[in-house]
Amino acid sequence: VVLLFKDDATAFNRQKFGTIDGKGPMNLRISVRILAEMERAGIPTHVVRVLSERELLVRKVQIVQLEVVVRNIVAGTFAKRYGIDEGRVLERPLVELFWKDDAHGDPLVNDDAAQLLGLATADEVVAIKALALRVNEVLRGFFGERGIDLVDFKVEFGRASDGRLLLADEISPDSCRLWDRGTKQKLDKDRFRRDLGGVEEAYQEVLRRVEEPIA
Ligand code: UDP
């Protein structure tokens, strides 16, 4: 399958729509760098190879119909749902599962519901949550070395033909909340969601830091 990285940006279940200039190629480069880091850490991914600045060849998988969110710091829907201020550091990472179902606004599901809805087997739910926490550890370390706090992120997993679970998603400022450690400035899609301005610049800054060699 060829993934095409577009400049289109959507938010709030597609109610908000726009474009972020140059986002596609930036997100492709950010994702490829980060997914290589995952492979190095022993987390299998769908990546095969880069075909062009907007096209990434990936293995064809059957996508598990779950959006797997890991949170380190309170933000977004978690802050809203429980009435907690954004920015509180959680005592330990939290994994949340959302059913990929736009018609119902991607509802939160617990492990039992995920199984009973036929989204994943009991073993898969356990494996997916463990993988998501490992992704979080690698990602947190990677961004931490680059002066960025990983607030939360979303990933999806897919079943390869042999049934093995692969990390099958982009990992970019579209799918992660990233705060500059020093200034706490948002370097992610919240700049678009909340009309904060400087959207392209934030993505460029993440790309720069992601590709910068670390001493
Ligand atoms: N997220 C995503 N796609 C979605 C929903 C969420 O990539 O369809 C990411 C989002 O960017 C954030 C994390 O998952 O890093 C947690 O999002 P949250 O549940 O707070 O919802 P949001 O505020 O993004 O609607």
Side-chain angles (χ1 to χ4, degrees), residues 11-13 67-71 75-79 81 96 98 102 106 151-156 169 172-178 188-190 193-194:
F12 312 118
N13 206 4
E67 299 203 343
V68 185
V69 169
V70 183
R71 303 180 186 275
T77 57
F78 185 88
R81 188 182 321 123
E96 288 180 337
F98 295 87
D102 279 345
D106 295 339
V151 175
D152 58 28
F153 64 94
K154 182 274 300 180
V155 280
E156 297 177 23
D169 208 345
S172 75
D174 272 5
S175 59
C176 304
R177 284 197 171 91
L178 303 168
D188 57 63
K189 200 165 112 178
D190 271 348
R193 290 191 190 96
R194 304 180 189 181

Side-chain angles (χ1 to χ4, degrees), residues 34-70:
I34 290 174
L35 291 169
E37 202 64 25
M38 295 299 154
E39 293 276 0
R40 247 192 297 281
I43 299 164
T45 78
H46 62 167
V47 175
V48 179
R49 68 188 147 87
V50 176
L51 298 179
S52 74
E53 66 166 14
R54 288 183 185 272
E55 292 168 309
L56 180 65
L57 183 66
V58 299
R59 285 182 62 181
K60 189 180 174 83
V61 294
Q62 184 191 38
I63 289 286
V64 177
Q65 296 298 306
L66 289 169
E67 299 203 343
V68 185
V69 169
V70 183

Side-chain angles (χ1 to χ4, degrees), residues 9-41:
T10 60
F12 312 118
N13 206 4
R14 296 172 204 274
Q15 286 175 51
K16 186 179 169 88
F17 190 91
T19 55
I20 300 173
D21 275 343
K23 177 169 80 83
M26 288 194 279
N27 276 0
L28 182 146
R29 281 163 64 181
I30 293 168
S31 291
V32 164
R33 176 70 183 83
I34 290 174
L35 291 169
E37 202 64 25
M38 295 299 154
E39 293 276 0
R40 247 192 297 281

